[in-house]
Amino acid sequence: MPPAERGATRIADRVVAKIAAQAAREALAAQPGGPPGGAGPGGAAAPHAAVTVHHDIARVRVSLELDYPSDLAESCAAVRRQVVRRVEDCAGMAVPEVDIDIEHLHSAHTRSAAVRDRKLR
């Protein structure tokens, strides 16, 4: 029986979203001064993603928190490249667009205040 007649494989949107969020974490960690591990920069929340899949095409929206000042455009471009690469490699889906929402910018001042607040708790 030919492979096409054996059935189909469907990858759930939430699985593709997890791949995209992990790819965003990888891209941010690779940036100069990027965070080690899974958190966003400077103790920011880890990126999260929402995905809509239609046939084998995934449209991705990634939400990030970034350090400021930094090259926001380069950070977003790196995230886009990595998300496209990983979703194509892992899920075999085309990714024609990756929308990025920068939810918060963290300065050195806000990072030190957040660390101080955590220590007081």
Side-chain angles (χ1 to χ4, degrees), residues 1-117:
M1 180 180 288
E5 294 178 14
R6 292 185 205 151
T9 301
R10 182 182 180 290
I11 301 172
D13 292 9
R14 71 176 188 256
V15 172
V16 181
K18 287 182 181 184
I19 294 168
Q22 177 61 35
R25 282 189 291 276
E26 292 167 1
L28 293 175
Q31 295 283 308
H48 60 278
V51 174
T52 302
V53 176
H54 185 68
H55 299 292
D56 286 334
I57 299 172
R59 302 212 183 279
V60 181
R61 177 175 299 274
V62 178
S63 298
L64 307 172
E65 295 184 10
L66 298 174
D67 279 341
Y68 183 83
S70 66
D71 188 343
L72 301 178
E74 175 52 35
S75 294
C76 292
V79 168
R80 280 190 183 94
R81 286 190 300 269
Q82 185 69 0
V83 167
V84 168
R85 184 173 23 252
R86 298 289 280 158
V87 171
E88 286 177 350
D89 290 348
C90 294
M93 296 179 181
V95 185
E97 67 183 58
V98 177
D99 294 330
I100 300 199
D101 294 330
I102 300 174
E103 294 186 337
H104 297 288
L105 294 175
H106 296 277
S107 68
H109 174 71
T110 60
R111 273 193 311 277
S112 62
V115 169
R116 185 181 63 245
D117 289 346

